[in-house]
Amino acid sequence: MPAYINRLKIGLITSTLVLLTSIVFQMTPAFASHHFESELSIKYPQFDLTDMFVFESEKSGYTAFMMNINPTTGKDGSAAFGENGVYNFHIASDKAFKKSGMTVTAYLDKGKLVFGMADGANQAVGAKGKEFGSVIVGKEATFSNGIRVWSGAAHDTFVGNSEGIIGFMTQLLGKGQLALSSFDKGVDLFKDFQSSVILVEIPNKMLPKQIYVYASTAMYNVDQWVQVNRLAHPLMTHMFMVNNKMEISEHTQHRPDSDSTRAYAVSGTVLRAVTLDNKLPNPVAYADSIAAKLLPDMIPYSVGTEAAYTFEKINGRKPSDDAMDAALSIFVGRKVTDNANTFNRHPTQFPYVRPVKK
């Protein structure tokens, strides 16, 4: 296929994503877990962090941490990371960052990803820590500290009904209606998309028994390091905070230690949904409990246990977990579905994705 046609296709996809993002700020969400929330992520999609997972490894005694980056990754099998930036897994042993923790970092240098480790889970933006290994993008490596890594282009792991959620949130925020029928078609847009993936497997002996995890990206912009975005819980900004543009910006540009100031945005949006649904005895208490559950925005995980991200339980998150169903159910206060169920690109073996072949 001629190169200009590929560029045209990617350009059309990007234009569509940006258009959907502009809709977010007018009253409806973009279509995914996290795509293009900030101006920096629109301008520099190579640092647009779109998903994060923490789950038990196929290898006994290890925990896997995985992030998806850059929704404009092409179909040629080449990962699309960026120079002059850093990708981070923040691993805390408590929600308040008062105990021990670590940050695992990765940055691109001449076709290799260089991996580092920094003490503490809330390091300064741009910190890279002490290097412990490097490997060519697309290759697997196990370093002397026991950490195993993989990176590359893969089929996007997120499964979700983007048309449904746009219609659902438009009706909720624009007309004051809870239109679950918006999800009836059940089309999964992401089955045809690709992401650039970083996977890190850490020996459990290096981790606390209970961890709280989030991911972030940063880049050196003009003359300073800036955070491009960060995430943990899926659909946090595109659903739970979508009614407040200022809080979305604050959320992506700051760290979880300031998340309590945004609890009102989460509880207020959830309260609107559960009140319209009219099936819970105390909607105010439920909405407040969800803000407390999801903030600070870090995914809890008991190391060595089976990960599950569901309406009933949040303990890590596997790539195969139906995160949109879980988020929708939490949002509404009862089990519901987006009817998108193409879970056929989620292998249980390392590297837990379907790589795009060159």
Side-chain angles (χ1 to χ4, degrees):
M1 180 179 290
Y4 76 87
I5 293 180
N6 277 328
R7 288 196 297 271
L8 177 60
K9 290 174 67 179
I10 293 171
L12 287 171
I13 291 171
T14 304
S15 298
T16 301
L17 298 179
V18 174
L19 175 61
L20 289 171
T21 301
S22 70
I23 295 174
V24 169
F25 294 138
Q26 293 174 35
M27 266 203 317
T28 60
F31 58 77
S33 180
H34 282 261
H35 285 69
F36 293 125
E37 291 100 332
S38 67
E39 291 182 7
L40 280 174
S41 63
I42 294 170
K43 189 174 181 179
Y44 302 100
Q46 62 269 36
F47 296 110
D48 185 20
L49 179 59
T50 60
D51 244 329
M52 189 212 73
F53 309 88
V54 51
F55 54 99
E56 71 279 14
S57 165
E58 65 166 357
K59 187 176 181 181
S60 179
Y62 282 73
T63 296
F65 301 82
M66 188 172 85
M67 68 171 73
N68 292 355
I69 304 136
N70 197 349
T72 67
T73 301
K75 294 184 178 181
D76 63 355
S78 298
F81 303 113
E83 300 271 5
N84 300 316
V86 60
Y87 306 92
N88 308 290
F89 291 106
H90 304 265
I91 306 166
S93 57
D94 69 312
K95 288 185 175 182
F97 299 107
K98 292 182 178 179
K99 299 179 182 179
S100 61
M102 67 177 72
T103 302
V104 179
T105 69
Y107 66 91
L108 186 65
D109 182 29
K110 298 176 182 176
K112 290 185 175 182
L113 277 179
V114 181
F115 291 87
M117 182 89 69
D119 290 334
N122 200 22
Q123 286 285 342
V125 175
K128 296 179 179 178
K130 183 177 180 181
E131 179 183 340
F132 61 81
S134 64
V135 61
I136 295 171
V137 171
K139 301 295 183 180
E140 173 188 342
T142 301
F143 302 120
S144 59
N145 58 5
I147 293 178
R148 178 168 66 161
V149 302
W150 180 87
S151 64
H155 295 275
D156 198 307
T157 51
F158 192 77
V159 176
N161 184 343
S162 61
E163 180 182 346
I165 199 166
I166 289 172
F168 174 74
M169 295 306 292
T170 300
Q171 293 292 317
L172 179 70
L173 301 178
K175 298 183 179 180
Q177 298 176 359
L178 194 77
L180 290 170
S181 59
S182 299
F183 298 103
D184 287 352
K185 289 183 180 179
V187 177
D188 173 24
L189 178 67
F190 304 93
K191 63 183 177 62
D192 298 319
F193 275 46
Q194 293 71 232
S195 291
S196 300
V197 175
I198 296 175
L199 172 68
V200 177
E201 287 197 335
I202 301 178
N204 289 347
K205 63 183 180 182
M206 296 176 63
L207 300 169
K209 291 184 178 180
Q210 178 67 41
I211 58 176
Y212 301 85
V213 186
Y214 72 99
S216 72
T217 57
M219 61 178 291
Y220 195 76
N221 187 36
V222 184
D223 60 354
Q224 64 179 336
W225 280 96
V226 293
Q227 184 166 288
V228 178
N229 61 9
R230 54 105 170 181
L231 65 84
H233 291 288
L235 293 164
M236 176 60 74
T237 55
H238 293 318
M239 187 162 64
F240 292 93
M241 291 184 177
V242 75
N243 202 26
N244 196 309
K245 176 182 176 180
M246 182 181 72
E247 294 299 2
I248 291 175
S249 177
E250 288 288 310
H251 192 78
T252 57
Q253 298 300 305
H254 291 80
R255 295 287 177 79
D257 54 348
S258 68
D259 279 353
S260 61
T261 64
R262 288 177 282 281
Y264 78 94
V266 174
S267 61
T269 312
V270 172
L271 179 59
R272 180 178 295 199
V274 296
T275 298
L276 289 169
D277 196 40
N278 196 29
K279 288 182 171 59
L280 296 180
N282 194 334
V284 174
Y286 178 79
D288 288 344
S289 74
I290 295 306
K293 182 177 185 176
L294 300 183
L295 299 176
D297 188 10
M298 300 185 287
I299 291 183
Y301 177 62
S302 296
V303 172
T305 66
E306 182 180 357
Y309 197 99
T310 67
F311 172 53
E312 298 85 2
K313 177 182 180 181
I314 297 177
N315 180 49
R317 180 185 167 198
K318 300 187 297 293
S320 59
D321 286 336
D322 196 337
M324 186 174 277
D325 271 19
L328 276 172
S329 300
I330 291 168
F331 191 69
V332 174
R334 60 187 175 91
K335 201 165 185 178
V336 295
T337 181
D338 70 341
N339 291 307
N341 295 299
T342 52
F343 289 94
N344 57 1
R345 54 187 187 275
H346 304 87
T348 57
Q349 294 79 37
F350 187 93
Y352 316 108
V353 292
R354 283 177 51 201
V356 180
K357 296 180 180 180
K358 291 188 177 182

